[in-house]
Amino acid sequence: MPRPSPFDLVRDALRRVEAQFLEDTVSTVSGITEIGQYLHAGGGKRVRPALVLLAAALCGVEGPGVIALATVVEMIHAATLIHDDVIDGAETRRGRPSTNFRWGTQKCVLAGDWLYMQAFKVALQLRHFGILDELITLTQAMVEGELLQQEMTGRVVTREQHLELIERKTARLFSVSCKLAAMLGGLGDDIIARLGAYGHHLGLAFQMVDDLLDLTASAAQLGKPVGNDLREGKMTLACLDAYAAASAEGRAHFECVLRERGYRSVAFDEIQALLAASGALTRARLEARQHAERARELILLFPPSPYRDALEDLPLLMVERAS
Ligand code: FPP
Ligand code: MG
């Protein structure tokens, strides 16, 4: 019999997370509620709450605290997206007008702040200092990452700089999502560390594929324009690799897009041709698969269960996804 999808396995609990999210993001000031819930209603894979729920079930941790933690990570994620779209001046997100495009910068900065604090308020109810410490460290690491990103925007950075960035902006939240329920349940440090490492590698694989899709998928699949990262001045793994392998003329093409923040003098097709010719897309996909495989190996150290199966399947699903 085929295995259920990891999301189907925790479908009921995910519904409870949705309900708690809607309940906990209501402010007496309606604009805040609208902004948070608009972004949430626009879709999203709910990967982070699913990770909390699957890791909890894997460790035998249950109860309302687990649903609260899954809601907290989704709220933190939503808050980062609201702020990120303000910072990037994005016009679309998940195929719809971005929150800043609809409500303007000022309201979105404040709504994002409120949502962050609300996430911490929900987490505080668990009265677990270790969890609060983890969430604060995570948030600071993401803010620092965003600042580092700004310094790197428009520049050809090193591979290491880029990897640090994707660790901060994506892998850290994945890693924390995997650890939280085990922390709540008082499991051993080795188990918590292993779950964290699983989430770290899964998060890196996820972001590497996200960055590849930006270069290879259609706008309809992405829900935003293609080639958007370069347009925003961000050189991702495959671009850095293709740049290193390119002739002076090829390098000048990348530099031109970064400088112009768009595809005016150099078409996106020309960038795609450079990427394909250098083999950079294939190498970046391989690197994403290697992280997915490392995550899989780490989860296989746990005793067999349907939840372990789901966490084993998730890395491959993430790297083979088309949107
Ligand atoms: C998306 O990157 C960015 C993130 C997931 C992290 C954003 C983090 C912040 C804005 C800092 C958090 C702020 C506070 C106040 C805690 P992207 O722009 O490459 O991806 P995209 O294509 O989804 O926009
Ligand atoms: Mg962005």
Side-chain angles (χ1 to χ4, degrees):
M1 208 172 72
R3 289 181 185 181
S5 106
F7 295 93
D8 282 343
L9 203 59
V10 287
R11 188 62 64 203
D12 288 345
L14 273 174
R15 286 204 187 97
R16 285 162 63 200
V17 174
E18 295 293 302
Q20 184 166 352
F21 186 100
L22 292 180
E23 218 171 275
D24 284 348
T25 50
V26 175
S27 158
T28 47
V29 179
S30 62
I32 289 176
T33 315
E34 269 176 47
I35 293 171
Q37 300 200 349
Y38 168 85
L39 181 77
H40 191 70
K45 293 176 275 294
R46 313 292 196 243
V47 181
R48 295 154 192 85
L51 285 174
V52 175
L53 299 170
L54 287 167
L58 179 80
C59 298
V61 182
E62 344 179 277
V66 172
I67 303 295
L69 287 172
T71 310
V72 165
V73 298
E74 193 60 13
M75 284 166 81
I76 292 180
H77 178 54
T80 59
L81 295 186
I82 293 172
H83 278 180
D84 181 67
D85 282 344
V86 166
I87 293 165
D88 291 342
E91 295 186 356
T92 50
R93 158 85 56 195
R94 296 171 178 164
R96 302 200 300 170
S98 61
T99 45
N100 51 305
F101 193 74
R102 222 179 126 170
W103 281 275
T105 296
Q106 281 123 325
K107 279 192 184 149
C108 287
V109 168
L110 295 167
D113 288 344
W114 186 93
L115 210 49
Y116 267 114
M117 281 303 100
Q118 186 65 4
F120 280 90
K121 196 173 194 173
V122 174
L124 184 64
Q125 287 163 10
L126 299 172
R127 301 288 185 263
H128 192 302
F129 280 125
I131 287 176
L132 286 176
D133 192 19
E134 196 72 50
L135 292 173
I136 290 166
T137 307
L138 158 76
T139 309
Q140 289 182 322
M142 291 181 90
V143 174
E144 287 163 357
E146 193 66 33
L147 277 163
L148 288 173
Q149 169 119 278
Q150 283 177 28
E151 282 166 23
M152 295 182 200
T153 299
R155 289 176 35 211
V156 179
V157 296
T158 64
R159 229 183 97 75
E160 289 66 34
Q161 285 173 316
H162 173 72
L163 291 177
E164 182 184 348
L165 216 61
I166 63 174
E167 192 278 321
R168 285 173 180 274
K169 93 170 174 194
T170 306
R172 193 74 70 104
L173 182 52
F174 272 61
S175 175
V176 170
S177 299
C178 291
K179 289 198 292 189
L180 288 175
M183 292 177 73
L184 184 69
L187 274 86
D189 288 347
D190 50 340
I191 299 290
I192 295 170
R194 192 192 295 157
L195 285 166
Y198 166 85
H200 166 81
H201 287 288
L202 180 65
L204 288 179
F206 179 91
Q207 188 58 49
M208 285 176 184
V209 169
D210 224 52
D211 294 344
L212 275 168
L213 288 171
D214 183 77
L215 299 165
T216 58
S218 67
Q221 282 169 315
L222 294 177
K224 61 182 180 184
V226 287
N228 205 42
D229 289 336
L230 267 183
R231 193 185 285 108
E232 289 179 351
K234 296 172 191 162
M235 287 282 275
T236 52
L237 207 55
C239 289
L240 291 170
D241 189 6
Y243 180 89
S247 62
E249 192 194 354
R251 289 182 180 209
H253 278 16
F254 280 104
E255 287 159 9
C256 183
V257 178
L258 289 178
R259 199 172 49 247
E260 292 183 346
R261 292 282 198 280
Y263 301 98
R264 281 186 290 283
S265 311
V266 174
F268 182 52
D269 287 358
E270 295 177 78
I271 295 292
Q272 281 184 313
L274 284 166
L275 287 163
S278 64
L281 295 172
T282 313
R283 281 192 296 278
R285 188 160 288 283
L286 182 68
E287 199 163 337
R289 287 210 181 103
Q290 283 166 346
H291 282 289
E293 184 50 33
R294 183 72 196 118
R296 213 182 133 253
E297 286 165 9
L298 283 159
I299 218 66
L300 287 176
L301 297 172
F302 286 90
S305 75
Y307 302 104
R308 189 189 79 170
D309 291 347
L311 289 163
E312 182 194 348
D313 293 345
L314 207 50
L316 203 65
L317 283 174
M318 293 286 104
V319 288
E320 302 305 335
R321 76 200 152 96
S323 63

